[in-house]
Amino acid sequence: MISVQNLSYVTAGKRILDDLSLDIAPGQVTALIGPNGAGKSTLLALMARLLRPDNGRITLDGLDVHRTATADIAKRLAILRQEQAPLGRLTVRDLVAFGRFPHHRGRPTAEDHLKIDTALDQLALSDLAGRFVDTLSGGQKQRVLIAMVLCQNTDVVLLDEPLNNLDPAQVRVVMDAVDHMARDLGKTVIVVLHDLNHAARHATRVIALKHGRLFAEGPAGSVLAETPLSQLYETAFDVLTHNARPMVVAR
Amino acid sequence: MTPRATFASLCCLLALLSVASLLVGAQGIAPTDLLFDPQARHLFLAGRLPRTLAVILTGASLAVAGLIMQILARNRFVEPATAGTAQSAALGIVVLTLAAPGLPMIAQMAGATLAALTGTAVFLVMVSRLPVQQPMLVPLTGLVYGGVIGAAVTFLAYENDLLQFVDTWINGEFSAIVRGRYEMLWIAGLAAALAYLAADQLTIVGLGRDAAVNLGLGYRQVMALGLLAVSVVTAITVVTVGMIPFVGLVVPNIVSRLQGDNLRQALPRVALAGAVLVLGCDLLGRLLRYPHEIPVGTVLGVIGAGVFLWLLNVRPRHAG
């Protein structure tokens, strides 16, 4: 389980996160929502030890992520960031295979290869396995990166806006993978989403951040309601019901 | 071409060029002379063989150093000879020669390595602050930075009557290589070979800091290791044979286009191709004005610049 305690983060004189405390429910999809600049990406980066907090701490199963050996954390937690650096000329299979690196440290076993094949299959990438990633489209690249995270096979998976620039079909493949990770593999998935309907459809719990503080937290149905959303984004919403799930429409 | 076929053809090419390099020279040596003529045998063992080995070691290790440098700077268009590493090494030797003349070669080497390390670290810090959207700023910064350090070297040497020495470090050539004068290059070769042990780590670092941390890598440690390898290789080659431009630039770029950036496959091919390129250019320099020689640095300057311009214009195709 992930627990955030009194977390503060300041950059360039701006307080991005302000004394934030929250717990993440294990084995479920938690959506992280909030207006731009609320601190969602920063929170994910701090959880993944890509940034160091100015104050407070984050524990994963009781281990402080900033004080535990990074190689150990890599076996328990994986992150997909919003802006990925250029990937270079690696084949799809080679890149996905690096997701296994924390486990085999350079000596892949038959089990590692099996996990790689499964991940490629799950993200519908088997036909592209031999292609160089720099020849892929944006959506294909994103699927490769999700497959890499899946391959890393960690208890906790952090996804920062994984649906950016994807067409509806690619969105479905990615969100199916997200559902699969939580439902079938029992992983704890924390995903930053801007489209509230994706949150409504896939997340069990929703955490809303505003100005670096916790604004609301709870089951998807209670946070994705007219009053909290209108206050969170300072704009009016209608929330309808579609297939027994909330459906959010800007008023 | 499949990776295996590339590897095999590079090996054959290197073997052919090595034989040619062993046989070509101002005085002809036929293979049979080695058995019966002690003077020919001496010439072969003390001159031809060391020279050929020196060329191979230099070419292979410089190409590998170029590749590592490109990973450290996260830019395809830098190499130690154009980004201040080689110039810093030369500055280190000049300062050491002035401050403590008559030091043994090994101490000079250590001083050159330390200077190369410092110079490269400063370069990496400088380019890490450049905007990512402008990749060409990195090699430009390197050229200016290397130029400034190179000017300092020339100035110091001019003031102290050392220009002749500086010339041997700046203009790479192998004509003075004999037994006893090239053995340090084995250390450069070893440093390049050790990089292979960290092939996966270096590939991951090439994906960026976030990716490296996410996969549980000590990003700084791998960077430091790469920096050390680049500095050792550059300093040793500058001291023993002089600066050789473009090897570290064009070879990794060509290999990347053909086989990609997975260093497990790329590193051995980069090393082989580097050896082939420098050996080919050295042979060319020996044959063009036979029995006189053109320094390999000059030959590579012409050929390398041509290949580099071609590389800049022919970008690999991207699918939409």
Side-chain angles (χ1 to χ4, degrees):
Chain A
M1 189 184 76
I2 294 200
S3 173
V4 174
Q5 294 147 28
N6 306 105
L7 196 68
S8 293
Y9 184 78
V10 179
T11 185
K14 193 168 177 278
R15 188 161 284 267
I16 308 289
L17 291 179
D18 190 6
D19 200 29
L20 181 71
S21 297
L22 50 86
D23 288 332
I24 306 286
Q28 297 179 341
V29 177
T30 299
L32 200 52
I33 63 166
N36 290 329
K40 307 181 295 291
S41 294
T42 305
L43 177 59
L44 245 55
L46 283 162
M47 283 179 174
R49 78 220 178 279
L50 302 178
L51 299 173
R52 299 197 72 87
D54 290 299
N55 221 328
R57 58 183 212 140
I58 298 167
T59 57
L60 167 57
D61 298 330
L63 300 171
D64 185 332
V65 295
H66 292 96
R67 287 169 194 274
T68 307
T70 183
D72 291 335
I73 298 291
K75 290 185 219 166
R76 297 162 170 266
L77 177 147
I79 185 170
L80 172 63
R81 286 214 86 181
Q82 193 180 343
E83 318 112 28
Q84 165 64 43
L87 292 171
R89 279 173 75 74
L90 293 173
T91 63
V92 168
R93 197 190 155 82
D94 280 354
L95 184 60
V96 171
F98 276 120
R100 294 302 300 162
F101 187 82
H103 302 279
H104 63 61
R105 308 294 294 180
R107 288 162 210 269
T109 62
E111 191 205 337
D112 292 311
H113 289 298
L114 193 70
K115 287 227 156 64
I116 295 161
D117 290 332
T118 314
L120 287 171
D121 200 39
Q122 177 73 35
L123 275 300
L125 290 165
S126 301
D127 292 340
L128 299 175
R131 284 265 296 271
F132 281 124
V133 284
D134 63 349
T135 66
L136 301 181
S137 71
Q140 290 168 330
K141 266 184 210 167
Q142 190 72 332
R143 269 155 53 203
V144 172
L145 293 170
I146 303 258
M148 193 175 168
V149 165
L150 190 59
C151 224
Q152 201 173 334
N153 194 27
T154 52
D155 288 342
V156 177
V157 172
L158 311 176
L159 305 170
D160 194 355
E161 293 192 36
L163 306 178
N164 261 4
N165 303 318
L166 299 190
D167 66 38
Q170 311 259 19
V171 165
R172 169 157 304 202
V173 176
V174 169
M175 288 318 288
D176 281 352
V178 169
D179 286 343
H180 167 69
M181 286 191 236
R183 190 186 54 225
D184 305 330
L185 305 175
K187 296 181 189 309
T188 306
V189 183
I190 307 172
V191 52
V192 174
L193 291 172
H194 267 303
D195 187 327
L196 299 170
N197 288 314
H198 289 308
R201 182 154 172 207
H202 299 277
T204 313
R205 296 183 75 80
V206 173
I207 292 175
L209 293 186
K210 189 176 185 181
H211 302 316
R213 288 167 172 273
L214 185 64
F215 179 81
E217 194 263 339
S222 74
V223 180
L224 299 173
E226 280 173 19
T227 314
L229 286 181
S230 301
Q231 286 171 358
L232 176 65
Y233 290 99
E234 291 169 21
T235 179
F237 290 99
D238 284 327
V239 177
L240 319 173
T241 304
H242 176 68
N243 288 345
R245 297 260 192 184
M247 189 166 100
V248 183
V249 184
R251 190 181 291 165
Chain B
M1 210 175 339
T2 65
R4 200 164 293 191
T6 320
F7 190 77
S9 22
L10 282 171
C11 284
C12 290
L13 210 54
L14 184 61
L16 275 174
L17 287 170
S18 304
V19 172
S21 167
L22 291 171
L23 297 178
V24 167
Q27 191 188 332
I29 303 180
T32 46
D33 292 346
L34 293 177
L35 295 175
F36 307 112
D37 182 351
Q39 210 184 336
R41 198 153 55 215
H42 175 76
L43 183 65
F44 181 84
L45 289 177
R48 297 284 167 76
L49 187 63
R51 175 173 190 156
T52 305
L53 286 172
V55 176
I56 292 173
L57 285 168
T58 305
S61 56
L62 277 182
V64 169
L67 177 61
I68 297 176
M69 184 86 178
Q70 287 158 22
I71 290 172
L72 299 181
R74 297 194 49 72
N75 189 291
R76 288 231 175 273
F77 300 114
V78 293
E79 62 148 336
T82 59
T85 310
Q87 291 81 358
S88 302
L91 184 63
I93 318 169
V94 173
V95 170
L96 219 54
T97 311
L98 292 174
L103 278 182
M105 188 111 156
I106 188 84
Q108 279 195 5
M109 208 76 84
T113 305
L114 206 64
L117 252 172
T118 316
T120 315
V122 170
F123 170 71
L124 290 176
V125 170
M126 275 197 306
V127 300
S128 69
R129 293 174 186 185
L130 294 175
V132 204
Q133 302 84 353
Q134 307 255 359
M136 283 305 159
L137 284 181
V138 176
L140 282 177
T141 308
L143 285 173
V144 174
Y145 177 66
V148 170
I149 300 175
V153 174
T154 312
F155 175 76
L156 274 178
Y158 178 78
E159 288 286 299
N160 297 285
D161 267 338
L162 285 173
L163 276 182
Q164 257 180 316
F165 288 99
V166 168
D167 193 57
T168 65
W169 302 319
I170 302 282
N171 298 315
E173 61 156 340
F174 292 97
S175 61
I177 292 290
V178 286
R179 191 165 53 195
R181 274 239 38 211
Y182 85 103
E183 283 75 2
M184 285 286 197
L185 286 171
W186 285 106
I187 301 177
L190 189 70
L194 284 178
Y196 186 74
L197 294 180
D200 280 347
Q201 281 85 344
L202 285 166
T203 309
I204 292 173
V205 161
L207 298 174
R209 180 183 169 273
D210 289 351
V213 172
N214 178 50
L215 293 176
L217 227 60
Y219 182 71
R220 279 168 176 278
Q221 286 93 308
V222 180
M223 289 283 279
L225 206 75
L227 189 60
L228 185 66
V230 168
S231 305
V232 166
V233 167
T234 310
I236 290 177
T237 49
V238 166
V239 173
T240 45
V241 298
M243 251 178 247
I244 299 182
F246 289 111
V247 191
L249 194 60
V250 297
V251 171
N253 272 289
I254 292 172
V255 172
S256 163
R257 280 186 197 202
L258 297 175
Q259 314 279 221
D261 295 331
N262 192 344
L263 296 198
R264 286 239 174 196
Q265 277 137 43
L267 267 178
R269 285 159 185 83
V270 164
L272 274 172
V276 165
L277 178 66
V278 179
L279 197 51
C281 287
D282 185 55
L283 261 175
L284 206 61
R286 283 194 258 168
L287 292 171
L288 278 176
R289 295 180 60 225
Y290 185 84
H292 304 288
E293 282 200 21
I294 303 172
V296 71
T298 311
V299 179
L300 257 167
V302 175
I303 293 180
V307 178
F308 185 49
L309 286 175
W310 170 75
L311 277 174
L312 280 179
N313 284 298
V314 190
R315 291 282 177 93
R317 265 178 236 142
H318 289 255

